[in-house]
Amino acid sequence: MRPSVRLLNLEVPPIQGARTLYVCSVCRHAARPRPIVTRQFLRNASNANSLTEKVRRKIWGTDNPPGLKDPYGGEGALERRFKNKGAQVIEEAETPEASQAIDAAASEDAVPASADYEPATTWDGLDRVGHLGRWSDLPPAPADVYESFQVPKKITKKELLSLAAHQAVVELCLMHKLGKPLTSICEVVEHDKLIFKMIWKTKIVPSSNGQWSEALEYPNKQAEEALVYIFKQIGAEEAAETVEATEQVEETEEPLDELTEDLDTEQSKLAFCGYQKPRDNGHLSLSLNDPATKFAFLKRFSQLTGHFFPDPAAQSITTVQEAVTYVQQIMKSKPKKLADYLAKNQQYKKAPNVKVFAKRQKRSDRDEDLGRKKLIEAELRARGLLE
């Protein structure tokens, strides 16, 4: 309040009775005493009733209201109910009739002890549960034989990868033509030397409609009949059919003079019966847009080469050529250290002002290269700083 107004209030006579001297509003509010109720809330004696208890008494209108003193503590109604039921059950179980029934049931379950029973102190002579000998001493059962799905050694040569792709394509074309499950070809891990040579002689000529069943070009009619008859037996349940297929191949071996050139013994032990590359590359242009065909081809190609196709790579592959190219790219050896890569780079070798070192070069290494290390060591020994 301004001083002029304050003085005016002091000079004006009070209209309603006697008034004290003027006190500003801030001082009047600050000078008021605290309410009695607030002071009562602040000081509660330890033996005084709490606020909730006072409220309960006021609601019920009596000093002894019903219910618990603490509504949020103690046993609830359900707990007291189950506690009373448990006590009744215990009292009923302790009756003489119940105890006799329990004893009778225990006597029935007990095994009668023989007269010559002696408790065992050691394991010697006791019945053994499980196998009586060591399982490793037993000969392996047919179910214990493990055959790897992939070849034991990965194929790394570019020509052999193309040869594996050619074999997989010929096999799947035959499976398409015969209407058999495509992935059942993976049951045949390795073909006979004669059968593989017929596969190698078969060419792939992509058709205009892109059908795999129409892309085969056999060397002659006899080879076509033999391959069709052999691939019909793949996935057969009865072993007799496989035996008949082998006999059929042996019968066709005599007229197939052009296809039965004997390979050397050493070459027959190599991958793909010693063949190094396919006769043509028509198989590389086949499309893999069909999901079933792509899956069967990648599975068979992975089995023949030993290389795995992750899901992102398999999804992006659309032709046989892309599958072969992917395997060739992952086979490129990556340098373990940058120094090894730079040391093999011919561009840096020819540069007169560039040197590549396998480890970090210090000042002592530079002094040694320049021929100053011996002089520095000699001076340090002369000064007694180096032993």
Side-chain angles (χ1 to χ4, degrees):
M1 188 178 292
R2 292 178 294 178
S4 59
V5 178
R6 189 180 302 133
L7 293 174
L8 179 61
N9 289 339
L10 290 174
E11 294 175 359
V12 174
I15 301 175
Q16 299 178 355
R19 289 183 59 185
T20 59
L21 296 177
Y22 175 77
V23 181
C24 68
S25 60
V26 177
C27 295
R28 280 202 307 271
H29 288 290
R32 283 182 179 179
R34 303 182 68 180
I36 299 175
V37 180
T38 307
R39 284 180 289 171
Q40 289 179 354
F41 279 120
L42 293 178
R43 65 169 199 269
N44 282 328
S46 60
N47 57 354
N49 297 323
S50 62
L51 178 62
T52 56
E53 181 64 20
K54 291 180 180 179
V55 172
R56 291 178 63 250
R57 292 183 180 183
K58 188 175 181 181
I59 291 174
W60 290 96
T62 176
D63 293 340
N64 296 320
L68 298 174
K69 292 184 178 181
D70 187 4
Y72 302 101
E75 297 179 353
L78 295 177
E79 295 178 358
R80 293 195 302 269
R81 181 178 178 183
F82 285 113
K83 185 177 180 181
N84 296 336
K85 284 186 176 181
Q88 295 177 2
V89 171
I90 294 174
E91 291 177 357
E92 293 176 358
E94 291 179 354
T95 57
E97 294 80 1
S99 60
Q100 293 178 1
I102 294 174
D103 295 340
S107 61
E108 291 178 359
D109 296 338
V111 179
S114 58
D116 57 349
Y117 171 75
E118 295 180 3
T121 56
T122 62
W123 61 270
D124 188 15
L126 297 178
D127 295 336
R128 184 169 180 175
V129 179
H131 197 269
L132 300 180
R134 297 184 60 183
W135 63 269
S136 58
D137 298 336
L138 298 176
D144 299 333
V145 178
Y146 169 74
E147 294 181 0
S148 177
F149 175 75
Q150 295 179 335
V151 293
K153 187 177 180 180
K154 292 185 178 181
I155 303 300
T156 57
K157 292 184 178 180
K158 182 179 180 180
E159 294 78 7
L160 294 181
L161 290 173
S162 182
L163 185 60
H166 177 268
Q167 176 185 345
V169 168
V170 173
E171 293 170 343
L172 292 179
C173 287
L174 285 168
M175 301 302 284
H176 269 289
K177 183 178 181 179
L178 299 174
K180 299 180 70 65
L182 301 179
T183 54
S184 60
I185 189 60
C186 296
E187 299 176 4
V188 183
V189 181
E190 185 179 3
H191 290 290
D192 187 72
K193 179 175 60 178
L194 175 62
I195 300 173
F196 184 83
K197 189 166 185 178
M198 288 188 289
I199 294 175
W200 180 72
K201 288 280 187 178
T202 304
K203 293 183 179 181
I204 302 296
V205 180
S207 59
S208 58
N209 55 5
Q211 296 295 329
W212 282 50
S213 58
E214 302 175 2
L216 293 179
E217 184 178 325
Y218 303 96
N220 50 47
K221 189 65 176 179
Q222 295 174 347
E224 179 182 359
E225 295 176 356
L227 288 175
V228 169
Y229 185 83
I230 291 168
F231 275 78
K232 281 183 179 179
Q233 315 306 322
I234 295 178
E237 298 180 358
E238 298 181 1
E241 297 180 357
T242 306
V243 175
E244 294 177 1
T246 307
E247 294 176 355
Q248 180 70 15
V249 173
E250 293 177 355
E251 293 176 0
T252 58
E253 185 174 359
E254 295 181 358
L256 294 176
D257 295 334
E258 298 179 358
L259 303 177
T260 56
E261 298 176 359
D262 294 334
L263 300 175
D264 297 337
T265 307
E266 296 180 357
Q267 289 182 343
S268 62
K269 296 180 180 179
L270 300 175
F272 306 106
C273 298
Y275 291 96
Q276 298 299 322
K277 60 181 180 179
R279 298 183 63 186
D280 64 314
N281 295 325
H283 61 282
L284 297 176
S285 60
L286 286 179
S287 175
L288 294 175
N289 293 328
D290 182 27
T293 305
K294 178 195 289 189
F295 176 78
F297 172 78
L298 294 180
K299 183 177 180 180
R300 182 59 171 173
F301 187 64
S302 177
Q303 182 184 23
L304 296 175
T305 60
H307 294 280
F308 173 72
F309 289 88
D311 292 341
Q315 187 176 3
S316 61
I317 291 174
T318 57
T319 60
V320 177
Q321 177 66 56
E322 293 180 3
V324 177
T325 304
Y326 172 80
V327 176
Q328 292 175 357
Q329 290 178 353
I330 64 176
M331 287 191 309
K332 294 181 180 179
S333 59
K334 299 180 181 180
K336 296 182 179 180
K337 295 183 180 179
L338 179 62
D340 299 339
Y341 171 75
L342 296 177
K344 295 178 181 179
N345 196 331
Q346 298 296 331
Q347 180 181 359
Y348 300 115
K349 285 184 178 180
K350 296 178 181 179
N353 59 341
V354 177
K355 289 185 179 181
V356 181
F357 300 95
K359 61 180 181 179
R360 180 172 175 264
Q361 296 295 303
K362 301 180 182 178
R363 182 173 295 179
S364 59
D365 299 328
R366 185 177 180 183
D367 293 338
E368 185 177 1
D369 293 340
L370 298 177
R372 297 183 301 197
K373 185 176 181 180
K374 294 182 180 179
L375 299 176
I376 295 173
E377 290 180 353
E379 186 63 25
L380 291 176
R381 290 192 185 93
R383 296 183 183 183
L385 300 176
L386 184 64
E387 297 180 358

